[in-house]
Amino acid sequence: MTAVVVLAATAVLSGCRQWSGAGGSGGGAPASAASSARSSGFGAVFLGVDECSSFGTTRFTEVPCTGERAAARVVARYAGTVSEGPACPATTDFVLHVSEARQDHEGYACMRKLTPPHPGDPGGGGGPRTIVGDCVYSTGEGEVRETSCDGKGENEPEYEVTSAVGERGDCPASTALYVQLGGDDPVGCARPV
């Protein structure tokens, strides 16, 4: 059996960037927490698609999805690194970076919690991607961070991303802020809340 180690659990709650009206851009750095895991022997691949993990502050383990320790399900699993690989599905709650003892098995798992709240849902205030329906607030340094649209987050929402388009010129006239989203429609059109 191959030894498995989870390198880091990343719950990117604010990975969006604001594009200024003058053409400049700011960058947001993902938040990450160090973590490790032990293989529990389920499945041929540690945390393969549709398998479940437990939650913990320092360890994540693969557990049966029907067990009481199950907390999140793998919705997608990719080889390589998040920055070089495909984006996780839009409503992913958090990402686990996984590496087996053999280097050719380094990858990441896109995770969805088994029970609400889901920070990756539109307006949920987190997740590794900013999507239509999410709210953001200005950090004051040319960038924005995601926050819960219901106002229950640590920061009050200032703008809501109402649509995603290919270019800024495709945003409605009511757009007050452009947010970098990535993907096929990389420009988020946001209006004040």
Side-chain angles (χ1 to χ4, degrees):
M1 174 168 272
T2 305
V4 178
V5 177
V6 175
L7 296 177
T10 303
V12 183
L13 301 177
S14 54
C16 52
R17 295 181 182 155
Q18 171 184 345
W19 289 334
S20 71
S25 67
S32 65
S35 179
S36 64
R38 286 174 270 167
S39 175
S40 59
F42 299 101
V45 174
F46 178 70
L47 289 178
V49 174
D50 287 330
E51 292 179 340
C52 292
S53 75
S54 64
F55 269 144
T57 56
T58 59
R59 296 190 181 274
F60 292 82
T61 57
E62 186 174 302
V63 297
C65 291
T66 56
E68 65 184 38
R69 294 183 50 222
R73 181 181 306 273
V74 179
V75 294
R77 176 87 150 67
Y78 302 109
T81 63
V82 174
S83 62
E84 296 171 354
C88 284
T91 57
T92 298
D93 288 331
F94 63 97
V95 176
L96 289 179
H97 297 270
V98 182
S99 178
E100 293 187 26
R102 299 179 305 168
Q103 290 292 20
D104 61 336
H105 282 82
E106 181 177 344
Y108 55 100
C110 307
M111 307 297 292
R112 177 92 171 154
K113 292 170 42 178
L114 295 178
T115 58
H118 294 285
D121 283 350
R129 297 180 57 189
T130 301
I131 58 177
V132 172
D134 281 341
C135 292
V136 296
Y137 68 96
S138 173
T139 65
E141 300 191 15
E143 63 183 40
V144 295
R145 298 277 187 222
E146 196 174 325
T147 190
S148 178
C149 288
D150 64 10
K152 294 180 181 177
E154 189 174 314
N155 295 284
E156 289 291 319
E158 295 175 4
Y159 302 91
E160 180 179 353
V161 179
T162 56
S163 60
V165 298
E167 299 178 10
R168 284 188 191 188
D170 297 333
C171 283
S174 62
T175 300
L177 179 76
Y178 303 98
V179 180
Q180 184 176 341
L181 302 179
D184 293 337
D185 292 318
V187 179
C189 313
R191 61 182 174 87
V193 177

mmCIF file of all heavy atoms in Angstrom, residues 12-67:
data_model
loop_
_atom_site.group_PDB
_atom_site.id
_atom_site.type_symbol
_atom_site.label_atom_id
_atom_site.label_comp_id
_atom_site.label_asym_id
_atom_site.label_seq_id
_atom_site.Cartn_x
_atom_site.Cartn_y
_atom_site.Cartn_z
ATOM 1 N N VAL A 12 -9.657 28.595 0.200
ATOM 2 C CA VAL A 12 -9.442 29.930 -0.317
ATOM 3 C C VAL A 12 -10.750 30.677 -0.204
ATOM 4 O O VAL A 12 -11.672 30.436 -0.945
ATOM 5 C CB VAL A 12 -8.965 29.888 -1.777
ATOM 6 C CG1 VAL A 12 -8.682 31.280 -2.277
ATOM 7 C CG2 VAL A 12 -7.729 29.024 -1.890
ATOM 8 N N LEU A 13 -10.786 31.553 0.734
ATOM 9 C CA LEU A 13 -12.011 32.284 0.995
ATOM 10 C C LEU A 13 -12.045 33.603 0.266
ATOM 11 O O LEU A 13 -13.041 34.285 0.265
ATOM 12 C CB LEU A 13 -12.164 32.528 2.502
ATOM 13 C CG LEU A 13 -12.194 31.265 3.345
ATOM 14 C CD1 LEU A 13 -12.272 31.631 4.810
ATOM 15 C CD2 LEU A 13 -13.358 30.396 2.954
ATOM 16 N N SER A 14 -10.940 33.957 -0.367
ATOM 17 C CA SER A 14 -10.888 35.298 -0.930
ATOM 18 C C SER A 14 -9.903 35.376 -2.078
ATOM 19 O O SER A 14 -9.104 36.278 -2.123
ATOM 20 C CB SER A 14 -10.481 36.278 0.159
ATOM 21 O OG SER A 14 -9.266 35.848 0.750
ATOM 22 N N GLY A 15 -9.974 34.480 -3.006
ATOM 23 C CA GLY A 15 -8.999 34.451 -4.075
ATOM 24 C C GLY A 15 -9.364 35.297 -5.269
ATOM 25 O O GLY A 15 -8.949 35.016 -6.372
ATOM 26 N N CYS A 16 -10.151 36.344 -5.113
ATOM 27 C CA CYS A 16 -10.509 37.162 -6.255
ATOM 28 C C CYS A 16 -9.657 38.418 -6.294
ATOM 29 O O CYS A 16 -9.060 38.824 -5.325
ATOM 30 C CB CYS A 16 -11.986 37.522 -6.207
ATOM 31 S SG CYS A 16 -12.509 38.240 -4.655
ATOM 32 N N ARG A 17 -9.632 39.015 -7.485
ATOM 33 C CA ARG A 17 -8.860 40.232 -7.666
ATOM 34 C C ARG A 17 -9.753 41.305 -8.257
ATOM 35 O O ARG A 17 -10.618 41.022 -9.058
ATOM 36 C CB ARG A 17 -7.703 39.976 -8.623
ATOM 37 C CG ARG A 17 -6.698 39.014 -8.072
ATOM 38 C CD ARG A 17 -5.585 38.839 -9.045
ATOM 39 N NE ARG A 17 -4.648 37.866 -8.493
ATOM 40 C CZ ARG A 17 -3.851 37.138 -9.233
ATOM 41 N NH1 ARG A 17 -3.838 37.266 -10.520
ATOM 42 N NH2 ARG A 17 -3.033 36.289 -8.672
ATOM 43 N N GLN A 18 -9.491 42.523 -7.882
ATOM 44 C CA GLN A 18 -10.227 43.645 -8.433
ATOM 45 C C GLN A 18 -9.388 44.235 -9.544
ATOM 46 O O GLN A 18 -8.186 44.398 -9.409
ATOM 47 C CB GLN A 18 -10.457 44.697 -7.353
ATOM 48 C CG GLN A 18 -11.024 45.989 -7.896
ATOM 49 C CD GLN A 18 -11.150 47.024 -6.803
ATOM 50 O OE1 GLN A 18 -11.090 46.721 -5.631
ATOM 51 N NE2 GLN A 18 -11.310 48.251 -7.197
ATOM 52 N N TRP A 19 -10.014 44.559 -10.653
ATOM 53 C CA TRP A 19 -9.336 45.283 -11.708
ATOM 54 C C TRP A 19 -9.761 46.730 -11.593
ATOM 55 O O TRP A 19 -10.929 47.044 -11.577
ATOM 56 C CB TRP A 19 -9.733 44.765 -13.080
ATOM 57 C CG TRP A 19 -9.178 43.424 -13.385
ATOM 58 C CD1 TRP A 19 -8.049 42.847 -12.882
ATOM 59 C CD2 TRP A 19 -9.739 42.452 -14.252
ATOM 60 N NE1 TRP A 19 -7.865 41.605 -13.386
ATOM 61 C CE2 TRP A 19 -8.897 41.331 -14.241
ATOM 62 C CE3 TRP A 19 -10.863 42.416 -15.050
ATOM 63 C CZ2 TRP A 19 -9.144 40.208 -14.997
ATOM 64 C CZ3 TRP A 19 -11.107 41.296 -15.797
ATOM 65 C CH2 TRP A 19 -10.250 40.216 -15.773
ATOM 66 N N SER A 20 -8.825 47.617 -11.493
ATOM 67 C CA SER A 20 -9.171 49.023 -11.345
ATOM 68 C C SER A 20 -9.676 49.565 -12.671
ATOM 69 O O SER A 20 -9.362 49.040 -13.730
ATOM 70 C CB SER A 20 -7.941 49.824 -10.888
ATOM 71 O OG SER A 20 -7.007 49.919 -11.944
ATOM 72 N N GLY A 21 -10.408 50.637 -12.624
ATOM 73 C CA GLY A 21 -10.914 51.265 -13.834
ATOM 74 C C GLY A 21 -9.800 51.784 -14.717
ATOM 75 O O GLY A 21 -9.970 51.969 -15.906
ATOM 76 N N ALA A 22 -8.612 52.019 -14.170
ATOM 77 C CA ALA A 22 -7.495 52.550 -14.938
ATOM 78 C C ALA A 22 -6.680 51.461 -15.602
ATOM 79 O O ALA A 22 -5.673 51.728 -16.219
ATOM 80 C CB ALA A 22 -6.601 53.390 -14.025
ATOM 81 N N GLY A 23 -7.100 50.208 -15.450
ATOM 82 C CA GLY A 23 -6.398 49.123 -16.124
ATOM 83 C C GLY A 23 -5.407 48.396 -15.259
ATOM 84 O O GLY A 23 -4.816 47.429 -15.683
ATOM 85 N N GLY A 24 -5.189 48.817 -14.022
ATOM 86 C CA GLY A 24 -4.278 48.122 -13.123
ATOM 87 C C GLY A 24 -4.958 46.916 -12.522
ATOM 88 O O GLY A 24 -6.144 46.721 -12.662
ATOM 89 N N SER A 25 -4.198 46.068 -11.858
ATOM 90 C CA SER A 25 -4.797 44.916 -11.201
ATOM 91 C C SER A 25 -4.130 44.690 -9.877
ATOM 92 O O SER A 25 -2.969 45.004 -9.695
ATOM 93 C CB SER A 25 -4.692 43.667 -12.072
ATOM 94 O OG SER A 25 -3.347 43.283 -12.211
ATOM 95 N N GLY A 26 -4.894 44.165 -8.959
ATOM 96 C CA GLY A 26 -4.359 43.804 -7.657
ATOM 97 C C GLY A 26 -4.375 42.309 -7.528
ATOM 98 O O GLY A 26 -5.053 41.621 -8.266
ATOM 99 N N GLY A 27 -3.641 41.768 -6.609
ATOM 100 C CA GLY A 27 -3.589 40.318 -6.451
ATOM 101 C C GLY A 27 -4.041 39.897 -5.083
ATOM 102 O O GLY A 27 -3.744 40.555 -4.110
ATOM 103 N N GLY A 28 -4.711 38.805 -5.024
ATOM 104 C CA GLY A 28 -5.132 38.236 -3.755
ATOM 105 C C GLY A 28 -4.376 36.953 -3.522
ATOM 106 O O GLY A 28 -4.208 36.161 -4.424
ATOM 107 N N ALA A 29 -3.881 36.736 -2.352
ATOM 108 C CA ALA A 29 -3.139 35.517 -2.036
ATOM 109 C C ALA A 29 -4.052 34.555 -1.308
ATOM 110 O O ALA A 29 -4.794 34.950 -0.417
ATOM 111 C CB ALA A 29 -1.932 35.851 -1.170
ATOM 112 N N PRO A 30 -4.037 33.279 -1.711
ATOM 113 C CA PRO A 30 -4.898 32.316 -1.034
ATOM 114 C C PRO A 30 -4.439 32.044 0.385
ATOM 115 O O PRO A 30 -3.248 32.058 0.667
ATOM 116 C CB PRO A 30 -4.784 31.061 -1.895
ATOM 117 C CG PRO A 30 -3.502 31.204 -2.629
ATOM 118 C CD PRO A 30 -3.258 32.677 -2.768
ATOM 119 N N ALA A 31 -5.395 31.810 1.255
ATOM 120 C CA ALA A 31 -5.075 31.421 2.628
ATOM 121 C C ALA A 31 -4.893 29.915 2.647
ATOM 122 O O ALA A 31 -5.624 29.196 1.998
ATOM 123 C CB ALA A 31 -6.215 31.819 3.559
ATOM 124 N N SER A 32 -3.921 29.404 3.376
ATOM 125 C CA SER A 32 -3.748 27.958 3.453
ATOM 126 C C SER A 32 -3.330 27.564 4.855
ATOM 127 O O SER A 32 -2.784 28.344 5.599
ATOM 128 C CB SER A 32 -2.710 27.484 2.436
ATOM 129 O OG SER A 32 -1.445 28.011 2.746
ATOM 130 N N ALA A 33 -3.620 26.318 5.176
ATOM 131 C CA ALA A 33 -3.260 25.778 6.482
ATOM 132 C C ALA A 33 -2.553 24.456 6.267
ATOM 133 O O ALA A 33 -2.990 23.640 5.470
ATOM 134 C CB ALA A 33 -4.511 25.569 7.329
ATOM 135 N N ALA A 34 -1.466 24.226 6.964
ATOM 136 C CA ALA A 34 -0.742 22.972 6.823
ATOM 137 C C ALA A 34 -1.580 21.836 7.387
ATOM 138 O O ALA A 34 -2.305 21.989 8.349
ATOM 139 C CB ALA A 34 0.591 23.051 7.558
ATOM 140 N N SER A 35 -1.473 20.672 6.735
ATOM 141 C CA SER A 35 -2.258 19.524 7.154
ATOM 142 C C SER A 35 -1.590 18.245 6.684
ATOM 143 O O SER A 35 -0.826 18.246 5.746
ATOM 144 C CB SER A 35 -3.654 19.629 6.552
ATOM 145 O OG SER A 35 -4.413 18.519 6.919
ATOM 146 N N SER A 36 -1.885 17.147 7.346
ATOM 147 C CA SER A 36 -1.390 15.852 6.893
ATOM 148 C C SER A 36 -2.465 14.808 7.107
ATOM 149 O O SER A 36 -3.440 15.037 7.784
ATOM 150 C CB SER A 36 -0.117 15.473 7.656
ATOM 151 O OG SER A 36 -0.409 15.305 9.016
ATOM 152 N N ALA A 37 -2.288 13.646 6.461
ATOM 153 C CA ALA A 37 -3.292 12.590 6.585
ATOM 154 C C ALA A 37 -2.648 11.229 6.529
ATOM 155 O O ALA A 37 -1.558 11.060 6.036
ATOM 156 C CB ALA A 37 -4.309 12.722 5.452
ATOM 157 N N ARG A 38 -3.372 10.253 7.033
ATOM 158 C CA ARG A 38 -2.974 8.857 6.924
ATOM 159 C C ARG A 38 -3.996 8.151 6.051
ATOM 160 O O ARG A 38 -5.182 8.403 6.157
ATOM 161 C CB ARG A 38 -2.965 8.209 8.311
ATOM 162 C CG ARG A 38 -1.792 8.662 9.142
ATOM 163 C CD ARG A 38 -1.939 8.108 10.518
ATOM 164 N NE ARG A 38 -2.697 9.124 11.254
ATOM 165 C CZ ARG A 38 -3.254 8.938 12.423
ATOM 166 N NH1 ARG A 38 -3.177 7.791 13.017
ATOM 167 N NH2 ARG A 38 -3.908 9.904 13.018
ATOM 168 N N SER A 39 -3.534 7.255 5.216
ATOM 169 C CA SER A 39 -4.451 6.497 4.378
ATOM 170 C C SER A 39 -5.221 5.511 5.243
ATOM 171 O O SER A 39 -4.660 4.861 6.102
ATOM 172 C CB SER A 39 -3.672 5.742 3.306
ATOM 173 O OG SER A 39 -4.545 4.922 2.574
ATOM 174 N N SER A 40 -6.512 5.413 4.999
ATOM 175 C CA SER A 40 -7.318 4.474 5.759
ATOM 176 C C SER A 40 -7.589 3.203 4.963
ATOM 177 O O SER A 40 -8.294 2.332 5.430
ATOM 178 C CB SER A 40 -8.630 5.139 6.172
ATOM 179 O OG SER A 40 -9.335 5.551 5.022
ATOM 180 N N GLY A 41 -7.043 3.125 3.739
ATOM 181 C CA GLY A 41 -7.175 1.916 2.957
ATOM 182 C C GLY A 41 -8.396 1.851 2.063
ATOM 183 O O GLY A 41 -8.640 0.835 1.442
ATOM 184 N N PHE A 42 -9.184 2.888 1.935
ATOM 185 C CA PHE A 42 -10.353 2.880 1.075
ATOM 186 C C PHE A 42 -9.939 3.248 -0.339
ATOM 187 O O PHE A 42 -9.180 4.171 -0.543
ATOM 188 C CB PHE A 42 -11.408 3.883 1.570
ATOM 189 C CG PHE A 42 -11.906 3.577 2.942
ATOM 190 C CD1 PHE A 42 -11.426 4.278 4.014
ATOM 191 C CD2 PHE A 42 -12.833 2.582 3.158
ATOM 192 C CE1 PHE A 42 -11.862 4.003 5.295
ATOM 193 C CE2 PHE A 42 -13.278 2.297 4.426
ATOM 194 C CZ PHE A 42 -12.787 3.005 5.502
ATOM 195 N N GLY A 43 -10.471 2.553 -1.333
ATOM 196 C CA GLY A 43 -10.256 2.902 -2.728
ATOM 197 C C GLY A 43 -8.831 2.706 -3.205
ATOM 198 O O GLY A 43 -7.896 2.599 -2.426
ATOM 199 N N ALA A 44 -8.669 2.649 -4.533
ATOM 200 C CA ALA A 44 -7.351 2.470 -5.138
ATOM 201 C C ALA A 44 -6.539 3.761 -5.088
ATOM 202 O O ALA A 44 -5.323 3.738 -5.062
ATOM 203 C CB ALA A 44 -7.500 2.003 -6.580
ATOM 204 N N VAL A 45 -7.222 4.909 -5.081
ATOM 205 C CA VAL A 45 -6.569 6.218 -5.029
ATOM 206 C C VAL A 45 -7.035 6.906 -3.755
ATOM 207 O O VAL A 45 -8.233 6.930 -3.468
ATOM 208 C CB VAL A 45 -6.958 7.081 -6.250
ATOM 209 C CG1 VAL A 45 -6.410 8.478 -6.126
ATOM 210 C CG2 VAL A 45 -6.505 6.425 -7.542
ATOM 211 N N PHE A 46 -6.101 7.479 -3.009
ATOM 212 C CA PHE A 46 -6.471 8.202 -1.802
ATOM 213 C C PHE A 46 -7.338 9.390 -2.189
ATOM 214 O O PHE A 46 -6.980 10.195 -3.030
ATOM 215 C CB PHE A 46 -5.221 8.677 -1.063
ATOM 216 C CG PHE A 46 -5.522 9.473 0.180
ATOM 217 C CD1 PHE A 46 -6.055 8.870 1.297
ATOM 218 C CD2 PHE A 46 -5.272 10.836 0.219
ATOM 219 C CE1 PHE A 46 -6.331 9.600 2.444
ATOM 220 C CE2 PHE A 46 -5.539 11.568 1.358
ATOM 221 C CZ PHE A 46 -6.070 10.946 2.477
ATOM 222 N N LEU A 47 -8.516 9.483 -1.591
ATOM 223 C CA LEU A 47 -9.483 10.536 -1.852
ATOM 224 C C LEU A 47 -9.778 10.679 -3.340
ATOM 225 O O LEU A 47 -9.640 11.741 -3.929
ATOM 226 C CB LEU A 47 -9.032 11.873 -1.245
ATOM 227 C CG LEU A 47 -9.091 11.937 0.276
ATOM 228 C CD1 LEU A 47 -8.574 13.277 0.772
ATOM 229 C CD2 LEU A 47 -10.499 11.693 0.788
ATOM 230 N N GLY A 48 -10.222 9.572 -3.953
ATOM 231 C CA GLY A 48 -10.681 9.599 -5.335
ATOM 232 C C GLY A 48 -12.064 10.226 -5.407
ATOM 233 O O GLY A 48 -12.723 10.462 -4.387
ATOM 234 N N VAL A 49 -12.543 10.501 -6.621
ATOM 235 C CA VAL A 49 -13.852 11.116 -6.819
ATOM 236 C C VAL A 49 -14.935 10.282 -6.133
ATOM 237 O O VAL A 49 -14.933 9.055 -6.210
ATOM 238 C CB VAL A 49 -14.156 11.279 -8.325
ATOM 239 C CG1 VAL A 49 -15.574 11.783 -8.550
ATOM 240 C CG2 VAL A 49 -13.155 12.228 -8.965
ATOM 241 N N ASP A 50 -15.824 10.946 -5.433
ATOM 242 C CA ASP A 50 -16.947 10.382 -4.676
ATOM 243 C C ASP A 50 -16.543 9.711 -3.367
ATOM 244 O O ASP A 50 -17.391 9.128 -2.694
ATOM 245 C CB ASP A 50 -17.795 9.418 -5.514
ATOM 246 C CG ASP A 50 -18.646 10.157 -6.535
ATOM 247 O OD1 ASP A 50 -19.021 11.317 -6.257
ATOM 248 O OD2 ASP A 50 -18.934 9.587 -7.590
ATOM 249 N N GLU A 51 -15.275 9.791 -2.981
ATOM 250 C CA GLU A 51 -14.866 9.292 -1.671
ATOM 251 C C GLU A 51 -14.937 10.448 -0.675
ATOM 252 O O GLU A 51 -15.036 11.608 -1.054
ATOM 253 C CB GLU A 51 -13.468 8.689 -1.746
ATOM 254 C CG GLU A 51 -13.476 7.409 -2.582
ATOM 255 C CD GLU A 51 -12.121 6.773 -2.726
ATOM 256 O OE1 GLU A 51 -11.094 7.461 -2.524
ATOM 257 O OE2 GLU A 51 -12.081 5.581 -3.056
ATOM 258 N N CYS A 52 -14.911 10.118 0.613
ATOM 259 C CA CYS A 52 -15.114 11.137 1.646
ATOM 260 C C CYS A 52 -13.930 11.241 2.594
ATOM 261 O O CYS A 52 -13.164 10.297 2.764
ATOM 262 C CB CYS A 52 -16.377 10.827 2.449
ATOM 263 S SG CYS A 52 -17.883 11.020 1.468
ATOM 264 N N SER A 53 -13.826 12.418 3.210
ATOM 265 C CA SER A 53 -12.777 12.667 4.194
ATOM 266 C C SER A 53 -13.405 13.093 5.502
ATOM 267 O O SER A 53 -14.549 13.549 5.546
ATOM 268 C CB SER A 53 -11.826 13.770 3.709
ATOM 269 O OG SER A 53 -12.448 15.035 3.824
ATOM 270 N N SER A 54 -12.613 12.953 6.555
ATOM 271 C CA SER A 54 -13.011 13.496 7.847
ATOM 272 C C SER A 54 -12.488 14.926 7.898
ATOM 273 O O SER A 54 -11.685 15.327 7.070
ATOM 274 C CB SER A 54 -12.379 12.678 8.968
ATOM 275 O OG SER A 54 -10.970 12.809 8.920
ATOM 276 N N PHE A 55 -12.948 15.696 8.858
ATOM 277 C CA PHE A 55 -12.399 17.023 9.097
ATOM 278 C C PHE A 55 -11.494 16.953 10.303
ATOM 279 O O PHE A 55 -11.692 16.132 11.189
ATOM 280 C CB PHE A 55 -13.499 18.046 9.402
ATOM 281 C CG PHE A 55 -14.032 18.746 8.200
ATOM 282 C CD1 PHE A 55 -15.365 19.079 8.137
ATOM 283 C CD2 PHE A 55 -13.223 19.078 7.132
ATOM 284 C CE1 PHE A 55 -15.882 19.738 7.044
ATOM 285 C CE2 PHE A 55 -13.725 19.738 6.028
ATOM 286 C CZ PHE A 55 -15.065 20.064 5.985
ATOM 287 N N GLY A 56 -10.541 17.797 10.346
ATOM 288 C CA GLY A 56 -9.666 17.900 11.487
ATOM 289 C C GLY A 56 -8.867 19.175 11.364
ATOM 290 O O GLY A 56 -8.842 19.793 10.312
ATOM 291 N N THR A 57 -8.222 19.561 12.421
ATOM 292 C CA THR A 57 -7.424 20.782 12.363
ATOM 293 C C THR A 57 -6.026 20.512 11.828
ATOM 294 O O THR A 57 -5.402 21.398 11.274
ATOM 295 C CB THR A 57 -7.326 21.442 13.755
ATOM 296 O OG1 THR A 57 -6.791 20.476 14.661
ATOM 297 C CG2 THR A 57 -8.695 21.902 14.233
ATOM 298 N N THR A 58 -5.537 19.286 11.963
ATOM 299 C CA THR A 58 -4.206 18.975 11.447
ATOM 300 C C THR A 58 -4.182 17.730 10.570
ATOM 301 O O THR A 58 -3.212 17.499 9.873
ATOM 302 C CB THR A 58 -3.195 18.762 12.599
ATOM 303 O OG1 THR A 58 -3.649 17.690 13.420
ATOM 304 C CG2 THR A 58 -3.042 20.023 13.422
ATOM 305 N N ARG A 59 -5.226 16.917 10.591
ATOM 306 C CA ARG A 59 -5.241 15.678 9.808
ATOM 307 C C ARG A 59 -6.574 15.488 9.099
ATOM 308 O O ARG A 59 -7.621 15.765 9.659
ATOM 309 C CB ARG A 59 -4.991 14.470 10.705
ATOM 310 C CG ARG A 59 -3.640 14.472 11.349
ATOM 311 C CD ARG A 59 -3.381 13.132 12.021
ATOM 312 N NE ARG A 59 -2.091 13.149 12.665
ATOM 313 C CZ ARG A 59 -0.950 12.868 12.058
ATOM 314 N NH1 ARG A 59 -0.947 12.546 10.795
ATOM 315 N NH2 ARG A 59 0.191 12.892 12.709
ATOM 316 N N PHE A 60 -6.484 14.990 7.858
ATOM 317 C CA PHE A 60 -7.650 14.581 7.102
ATOM 318 C C PHE A 60 -7.430 13.124 6.749
ATOM 319 O O PHE A 60 -6.355 12.758 6.299
ATOM 320 C CB PHE A 60 -7.785 15.385 5.802
ATOM 321 C CG PHE A 60 -8.119 16.827 6.027
ATOM 322 C CD1 PHE A 60 -7.136 17.743 6.335
ATOM 323 C CD2 PHE A 60 -9.419 17.264 5.921
ATOM 324 C CE1 PHE A 60 -7.437 19.062 6.536
ATOM 325 C CE2 PHE A 60 -9.731 18.591 6.116
ATOM 326 C CZ PHE A 60 -8.734 19.500 6.433
ATOM 327 N N THR A 61 -8.423 12.301 6.944
ATOM 328 C CA THR A 61 -8.304 10.895 6.586
ATOM 329 C C THR A 61 -9.461 10.523 5.670
ATOM 330 O O THR A 61 -10.519 11.152 5.699
ATOM 331 C CB THR A 61 -8.338 9.984 7.831
ATOM 332 O OG1 THR A 61 -9.535 10.226 8.557
ATOM 333 C CG2 THR A 61 -7.140 10.234 8.727
ATOM 334 N N GLU A 62 -9.244 9.491 4.866
ATOM 335 C CA GLU A 62 -10.315 8.972 4.028
ATOM 336 C C GLU A 62 -11.183 8.076 4.899
ATOM 337 O O GLU A 62 -10.669 7.227 5.629
ATOM 338 C CB GLU A 62 -9.710 8.179 2.876
ATOM 339 C CG GLU A 62 -10.739 7.721 1.869
ATOM 340 C CD GLU A 62 -10.079 7.078 0.666
ATOM 341 O OE1 GLU A 62 -9.266 7.744 0.008
ATOM 342 O OE2 GLU A 62 -10.378 5.908 0.419
ATOM 343 N N VAL A 63 -12.492 8.295 4.851
ATOM 344 C CA VAL A 63 -13.428 7.528 5.669
ATOM 345 C C VAL A 63 -14.628 7.142 4.808
ATOM 346 O O VAL A 63 -14.892 7.772 3.780
ATOM 347 C CB VAL A 63 -13.907 8.339 6.899
ATOM 348 C CG1 VAL A 63 -12.746 8.665 7.838
ATOM 349 C CG2 VAL A 63 -14.611 9.619 6.471
ATOM 350 N N PRO A 64 -15.392 6.123 5.210
ATOM 351 C CA PRO A 64 -16.604 5.782 4.458
ATOM 352 C C PRO A 64 -17.588 6.951 4.486
ATOM 353 O O PRO A 64 -17.784 7.589 5.522
ATOM 354 C CB PRO A 64 -17.176 4.582 5.221
ATOM 355 C CG PRO A 64 -16.050 4.040 6.038
ATOM 356 C CD PRO A 64 -15.157 5.205 6.336
ATOM 357 N N CYS A 65 -18.195 7.241 3.351
ATOM 358 C CA CYS A 65 -19.128 8.373 3.269
ATOM 359 C C CYS A 65 -20.352 8.196 4.155
ATOM 360 O O CYS A 65 -20.994 9.177 4.531
ATOM 361 C CB CYS A 65 -19.553 8.600 1.824
ATOM 362 S SG CYS A 65 -18.205 9.213 0.780
ATOM 363 N N THR A 66 -20.678 6.971 4.524
ATOM 364 C CA THR A 66 -21.830 6.721 5.377
ATOM 365 C C THR A 66 -21.471 6.730 6.858
ATOM 366 O O THR A 66 -22.346 6.623 7.709
ATOM 367 C CB THR A 66 -22.472 5.366 5.028
ATOM 368 O OG1 THR A 66 -21.468 4.357 5.141
ATOM 369 C CG2 THR A 66 -23.051 5.381 3.621
ATOM 370 N N GLY A 67 -20.182 6.878 7.162
ATOM 371 C CA GLY A 67 -19.737 6.872 8.552
ATOM 372 C C GLY A 67 -19.970 8.197 9.253
ATOM 373 O O GLY A 67 -20.116 9.240 8.621
#
